[in-house]
Amino acid sequence: MTPAPFAVADEELALLTDLYQLTMLQAYWAEGMEERATFSLFFRRLPPGRRFMLACGQQYAAELATRLRFREHHLKRLAGTGLFEEAFLAWLGAWRFRGDIWTLPEGTPVFANQPFMEVEAPIAEAQLLESLVMNLVQLETVLASKAVRVVLAARGRPVVDFGMRRMHGIDAAVRGVRAYRTAGLEGTSNVLGGLRHDLPLRGTMAHSYILAHDDEREAFHAFARRYPGTTLLVDTHDTLAGVRKVIDLMAEAPETGIGAIRLDSGDLGQLARESRALLDAAGHPEVKIVASSGLDEWQIAALLEEGAPIDVFGVGTEMGASSDAPVIDLSYKLVEYAGTPRLKHSPGKVNPPGRKQLFRRYDEVGRYAGDTLALRGEPGIPGEPLLRPLVRGGEVTREEMALAAGARERVQEALARLPAALRELDPGDAGYPVALSPGLDALVRTL
Amino acid sequence: MTPAPFAVADEELALLTDLYQLTMLQAYWAEGMEERATFSLFFRRLPPGRRFMLACGQQYAAELATRLRFREHHLKRLAGTGLFEEAFLAWLGAWRFRGDIWTLPEGTPVFANQPFMEVEAPIAEAQLLESLVMNLVQLETVLASKAVRVVLAARGRPVVDFGMRRMHGIDAAVRGVRAYRTAGLEGTSNVLGGLRHDLPLRGTMAHSYILAHDDEREAFHAFARRYPGTTLLVDTHDTLAGVRKVIDLMAEAPETGIGAIRLDSGDLGQLARESRALLDAAGHPEVKIVASSGLDEWQIAALLEEGAPIDVFGVGTEMGASSDAPVIDLSYKLVEYAGTPRLKHSPGKVNPPGRKQLFRRYDEVGRYAGDTLALRGEPGIPGEPLLRPLVRGGEVTREEMALAAGARERVQEALARLPAALRELDPGDAGYPVALSPGLDALVRTL
């Protein structure tokens, strides 16, 4: 018996959708509904405590959209549900995305009701992207938006991702590193994620390595001789005793050139101060202190506030699932069909109708001054138009992809240009001005 | 240029690990440390508000462990890091897991400090599994443990997963359905997940389908004629007006046999009552009411408490990332090496040492009465031994795999046998008695 696969292969991704997308597609097909539709991807509300999100994953999702295909064996499995006509399945076998996708460049700060992405295509093409695109964009946006808070809290000190084991499955762990790279992390412990998404690999040692040796000193010696400049984990038995063993080791074997010690339990601020004092007194100001152990942006801020001499933060659990805000209220809504703007009226929900463009204005020193959400092509709107046509006629536009590169650098620049209050962990009542253009405002009123 | 793959292929999974696992492996290899080690997988604390978790994913992870291999191209990529000797990489190319894995059967309720899994192998084999096993087991355990709360809250009414778009990436979405199946969900909207993990596919329609038509009535007619017995989404414009259109449709076209209406916004309890009254008055008690819209276990319980006539719950966002408890404090700790029990002493953390067995006792009517965590092979412990040897010498034991099947049925049985207080959404101070055996207690004291 051939074992069933564990991971999901690229060629299966067309099937990673909600059933209603396929039943709606069959209905559109049967009804002859082939007009162009525009769907807009946005979130209605920021998660509590957040004042911006980093839009991430939309380029990746757009590129994937151009590659989705239904294979013969997919169609057979769909036929087995009894819901689909043979002629429709044949049509689905020829389905491909031939439309346009406009996106914000990855790493752009976004606010409520701003489109990350607008998808324009015959309705059956644009509709089918909904579930997968939302899944893909949500993951990276959630993770990058959490990670950038951790980066801000660390005030320039390197932050390293240690979270692979606590992230939600294989894809989150690997694509998460892509989001972390965008957000400005310095490195990752995740081998496949780091290799694939070009973030430097970092690692120290585990308690198990110490415990497998008959004593800590022996473990330190063996590891340090093999990996000169390494980081030694000092808290397995008694942290300060561990630090003293590291100091002794450097005296006995200076060639090991210990790079850092890692603290992974206890009062990190106090232990960092005491460890720093021991190291400095022994003439080792060059040995850095790495701290880990359930850290999040608040704890990092508190540690730095109290003056803890920590040089590098290893962050896992809390960042890996964005524990305080693991989902965003993302929507992918029909905003135009057959040239007519569409609007859902249900209580408490308004979807800005029509094809749109997002304009961002800057003040005299280049800081964000406010945004205007406008109709696509509406003249006279001040500011920089942020949505760019990444996919045209089902093909990724090479020039646009080149323009969209550099998400990590874009985030660094954007952080400097965000109003200062929005960069605070707790921004209080600070908001960001987003206006509707005259054209969009008039359209909303008409509908 | 061949496009880079999106998803992670099975054959890459050996690389999905933390860097320190590989540097520790090289150190073990260089030091000639080849003795057998036992690692134990457990969590230290239940998430706030939870009184049990469903252990899930450990069979899947154990089976995957037996298939992990490093390919030539993996070794080349590792060589590129500059951290590894050629002779070690050759050894890694021959690495495979040849040890034993004991697991709780999937779907077993577990409590703090109880091993889901114990892995026994030469240390380099058992160590390498840590990161991937934790990632895999965490996902399914978190999702199944959340989903079972939703199932309990629905008091026998079917719960359907609508969460694919809000889950953390591709793997979470697909394996999540496996966890949902175990937890007792009735169906899923997720096509690939449902097909792969054998949970019935369910779907209704989206607002976009309604909005793409010139009016709601036309959309209802088209969809219902194509899918007799379908569920119609009635809240796009005005919910009760939508219900009246459904009633008119059934009068005009009785052959459509509408199965249900779906409410997706507004005051679901009130709208359900009003919709039920309209449907009943029109002679349609057979038309069911499906409710969705950001539901979690608390909202479902409140709706049923107020008597809302809802027949089926569609649940997505909150369940999809287990928003209130997206991670568990899972550990994979060395508990024995070379025949000697090992224990980490850091403040506030105790890892029960040694190879263990978990015994569960039942009262006269079969309810769980309490557990005893004991040393493996310790005689005279009352109760049923729950850890089973799923993998022996690197091979999955066929008989054990057969015994471990039926996780969904196991959960249903377990829910009936759990002390009643633990099944409450808010169990207050209710706990579950877990004792250490005399042998384990003595060992903890000695160390």
Side-chain angles (χ1 to χ4, degrees):
Chain A
M1 184 179 97
T2 309
F6 284 91
V8 174
D10 276 13
E11 67 102 25
E12 289 184 286
L13 291 176
L15 278 190
L16 187 52
T17 190
D18 288 302
L19 181 65
Y20 74 9
Q21 310 292 3
L22 298 175
T23 52
M24 288 191 289
L25 250 60
Q26 179 169 256
Y28 292 141
W29 166 81
E31 295 169 57
M33 289 175 64
E34 297 178 340
E35 298 279 348
R36 282 178 82 83
T38 301
F39 285 81
S40 189
L41 183 75
F42 62 96
F43 54 81
R44 289 204 175 84
R45 282 175 297 276
L46 284 158
R50 305 291 180 91
R51 290 300 175 270
F52 70 95
M53 299 291 278
L54 294 180
C56 287
Q58 65 273 25
Q59 286 164 211
Y60 213 59
E63 201 182 336
L64 179 56
T66 66
R67 297 196 216 160
L68 292 177
R69 301 288 186 278
F70 290 89
R71 315 289 175 187
E72 200 52 49
H73 65 105
H74 300 152
L75 302 177
K76 280 209 182 99
R77 291 163 83 182
L78 291 177
T81 65
L83 288 165
F84 303 105
E85 287 183 31
E86 212 171 298
F88 168 70
L89 291 174
W91 176 90
L92 198 60
W95 182 99
R96 56 165 292 188
F97 182 78
R98 293 186 182 83
D100 303 338
I101 302 179
W102 291 65
T103 72
L104 297 186
E106 290 194 339
T108 303
V110 285
F111 304 92
N113 294 311
Q114 297 193 336
F116 296 28
M117 187 185 235
E118 293 214 4
V119 177
E120 304 172 28
I123 192 164
E125 294 172 25
Q127 178 78 61
L128 186 65
L129 301 191
E130 177 178 26
S131 308
L132 185 59
V133 160
M134 286 179 73
N135 174 284
L136 297 173
V137 172
Q138 214 238 180
L139 175 72
E140 287 197 51
T141 296
V142 162
L143 293 181
S145 301
K146 177 68 170 180
V148 78
R149 289 171 61 80
V150 177
V151 168
L152 284 168
R155 300 192 214 153
R157 287 161 192 80
V159 176
V160 176
D161 159 40
F162 286 172
M164 186 219 123
R165 60 189 65 188
R166 301 278 170 78
M167 298 173 84
H168 280 202
I170 296 166
D171 184 45
V174 175
R175 270 194 308 126
V177 174
R178 187 174 187 274
Y180 290 158
R181 187 181 189 286
T182 299
L185 262 65
E186 191 265 344
T188 179
S189 66
N190 179 335
V191 176
L192 184 57
L195 290 175
R196 188 183 273 202
H197 295 300
D198 194 23
L199 191 63
L201 300 183
R202 297 283 179 260
T204 61
M205 66 198 324
H207 296 116
S208 56
Y209 181 81
I210 308 286
L211 290 170
H213 289 76
D214 289 329
D215 70 57
E216 195 175 34
R217 181 186 169 281
E218 184 195 318
F220 284 174
H221 274 254
F223 207 76
R225 284 176 197 275
R226 170 146 297 270
Y227 302 110
T230 196
T231 298
L232 295 172
L233 176 63
V234 294
D235 73 329
T236 305
H237 301 298
D238 173 286
T239 300
L240 298 178
V243 175
R244 289 190 193 95
K245 285 177 201 162
V246 172
I247 291 168
D248 292 347
L249 166 64
M250 286 188 284
E252 289 173 51
E255 73 281 7
T256 57
I258 302 303
I261 59 166
R262 176 158 77 103
L263 310 175
D264 189 46
S265 56
D267 179 338
L268 296 175
Q270 181 63 20
L271 290 170
R273 275 187 293 275
E274 293 176 5
S275 299
R276 181 78 274 156
L278 288 175
L279 289 164
D280 288 352
H284 290 296
E286 81 289 0
V287 176
K288 290 186 156 57
I289 298 180
V290 181
S292 55
S293 182
L295 292 174
D296 65 10
E297 66 269 39
W298 298 101
Q299 291 176 54
I300 290 173
L303 284 166
L304 294 179
E305 188 64 33
E306 71 172 72
I310 295 169
D311 302 291
V312 178
F313 293 98
V315 183
T317 308
E318 297 302 315
M319 188 171 71
S322 183
S323 293
D324 64 317
V327 283
I328 42 174
D329 185 27
L330 205 57
S331 293
Y332 180 92
K333 291 295 176 188
L334 181 72
V335 293
E336 183 171 305
Y337 179 65
T340 313
R342 310 275 161 160
L343 186 64
K344 183 181 175 304
H345 297 274
S346 291
K349 295 181 183 176
V350 172
N351 306 321
R355 301 162 63 220
K356 290 178 290 297
Q357 179 56 279
L358 179 67
F359 292 88
R360 183 153 291 170
R361 298 188 309 283
Y362 308 100
D363 69 12
E364 63 286 353
V365 294
R367 270 185 314 236
Y368 297 177
D371 294 356
T372 304
L373 192 57
L375 294 174
R376 187 95 50 82
E378 185 177 352
I381 309 297
E384 182 188 10
L386 295 183
L387 282 166
R388 307 283 313 179
L390 196 71
V391 173
R392 288 280 205 187
E395 301 287 338
V396 172
T397 331
R398 199 175 290 261
E399 310 76 56
E400 290 293 338
M401 199 52 117
L403 282 173
R408 182 179 172 95
E409 295 69 29
R410 182 174 302 114
V411 169
Q412 290 313 304
E413 191 195 313
L415 291 179
R417 297 171 79 173
L418 267 180
L422 299 185
R423 291 195 304 264
E424 298 294 320
L425 292 189
D426 180 359
D429 294 332
Y432 179 77
V434 182
L436 298 193
S437 70
L440 186 56
D441 188 57
L443 180 60
V444 170
R445 285 168 199 278
T446 313
L447 293 166
Chain B
M1 183 178 100
T2 309
F6 283 92
V8 175
D10 276 13
E11 67 103 25
E12 289 184 286
L13 291 175
L15 279 190
L16 187 51
T17 190
D18 289 301
L19 181 65
Y20 74 8
Q21 309 293 2
L22 298 175
T23 51
M24 288 191 290
L25 250 60
Q26 180 169 253
Y28 292 141
W29 166 81
E31 295 169 56
M33 289 175 66
E34 297 177 338
E35 298 280 348
R36 281 179 83 83
T38 301
F39 285 80
S40 190
L41 183 75
F42 62 95
F43 54 81
R44 289 202 175 84
R45 282 175 297 276
L46 284 159
R50 305 291 181 91
R51 290 301 174 271
F52 70 95
M53 300 290 279
L54 294 180
C56 285
Q58 65 273 24
Q59 287 164 210
Y60 214 60
E63 200 182 337
L64 179 57
T66 67
R67 297 197 215 158
L68 292 176
R69 302 287 186 278
F70 290 89
R71 315 288 176 187
E72 199 53 46
H73 65 105
H74 300 152
L75 301 176
K76 280 207 183 103
R77 291 164 82 183
L78 291 177
T81 65
L83 288 166
F84 303 105
E85 287 183 31
E86 211 172 295
F88 168 71
L89 291 174
W91 176 90
L92 197 61
W95 182 99
R96 57 165 291 190
F97 183 78
R98 294 187 182 83
D100 303 338
I101 301 179
W102 292 65
T103 71
L104 297 186
E106 290 194 339
T108 303
V110 285
F111 305 91
N113 294 311
Q114 297 193 337
F116 296 27
M117 188 184 234
E118 295 218 19
V119 178
E120 304 173 27
I123 192 164
E125 294 172 25
Q127 178 78 62
L128 186 64
L129 301 191
E130 177 177 27
S131 307
L132 185 59
V133 160
M134 286 179 73
N135 174 284
L136 296 172
V137 173
Q138 214 238 179
L139 175 72
E140 287 198 51
T141 296
V142 162
L143 293 181
S145 301
K146 176 68 171 181
V148 78
R149 289 171 61 81
V150 176
V151 168
L152 284 167
R155 300 193 215 153
R157 288 161 192 80
V159 177
V160 176
D161 159 40
F162 286 172
M164 187 220 122
R165 61 189 64 189
R166 300 279 170 78
M167 297 173 84
H168 280 201
I170 296 167
D171 183 45
V174 176
R175 270 194 309 125
V177 174
R178 186 176 187 274
Y180 290 158
R181 185 180 189 287
T182 299
L185 263 65
E186 191 265 344
T188 180
S189 66
N190 178 335
V191 176
L192 183 58
L195 290 175
R196 189 183 273 202
H197 295 300
D198 194 24
L199 192 63
L201 300 183
R202 297 283 179 261
T204 63
M205 65 197 326
H207 296 117
S208 56
Y209 181 81
I210 308 286
L211 290 170
H213 288 76
D214 289 329
D215 72 56
E216 194 175 34
R217 181 187 169 281
E218 183 194 320
F220 284 174
H221 274 253
F223 206 76
R225 284 176 197 276
R226 170 146 297 271
Y227 301 110
T230 196
T231 298
L232 295 173
L233 177 63
V234 294
D235 74 329
T236 304
H237 302 297
D238 173 287
T239 300
L240 298 177
V243 175
R244 289 191 193 94
K245 284 176 203 163
V246 172
I247 291 168
D248 293 346
L249 165 64
M250 286 187 285
E252 290 172 52
E255 73 280 9
T256 57
I258 301 303
I261 59 166
R262 176 159 76 104
L263 311 175
D264 189 47
S265 56
D267 179 338
L268 296 175
Q270 181 64 21
L271 290 170
R273 275 186 294 274
E274 293 176 6
S275 300
R276 182 76 274 156
L278 289 175
L279 289 164
D280 289 351
H284 289 296
E286 81 288 1
V287 175
K288 291 187 156 54
I289 297 180
V290 181
S292 55
S293 181
L295 292 174
D296 64 11
E297 66 269 39
W298 298 100
Q299 292 176 52
I300 290 173
L303 285 166
L304 294 179
E305 188 65 32
E306 72 172 73
I310 295 169
D311 302 291
V312 178
F313 293 98
V315 183
T317 309
E318 297 302 314
M319 188 171 71
S322 183
S323 294
D324 64 317
V327 282
I328 42 174
D329 184 29
L330 204 57
S331 293
Y332 180 92
K333 291 295 176 188
L334 181 71
V335 292
E336 184 172 305
Y337 180 65
T340 313
R342 310 274 163 161
L343 186 63
K344 183 181 174 305
H345 297 273
S346 291
K349 296 182 184 176
V350 173
N351 306 320
R355 300 163 62 219
K356 290 179 291 299
Q357 179 55 278
L358 180 66
F359 292 88
R360 183 154 291 170
R361 298 187 309 281
Y362 309 100
D363 69 12
E364 63 286 353
V365 294
R367 272 186 313 239
Y368 298 175
D371 294 357
T372 306
L373 191 57
L375 294 174
R376 187 94 52 81
E378 185 176 352
I381 310 298
E384 182 188 10
L386 296 183
L387 282 166
R388 308 281 313 178
L390 196 71
V391 174
R392 288 280 206 186
E395 301 288 338
V396 172
T397 330
R398 198 174 291 262
E399 310 76 56
E400 290 292 339
M401 198 53 116
L403 283 173
R408 182 179 172 96
E409 297 68 29
R410 184 174 300 114
V411 169
Q412 290 312 305
E413 192 196 311
L415 291 179
R417 298 171 79 174
L418 267 181
L422 299 186
R423 290 195 305 264
E424 298 295 319
L425 292 188
D426 180 0
D429 294 332
Y432 179 78
V434 182
L436 297 193
S437 69
L440 185 56
D441 187 58
L443 180 59
V444 170
R445 284 168 199 278
T446 313
L447 293 166

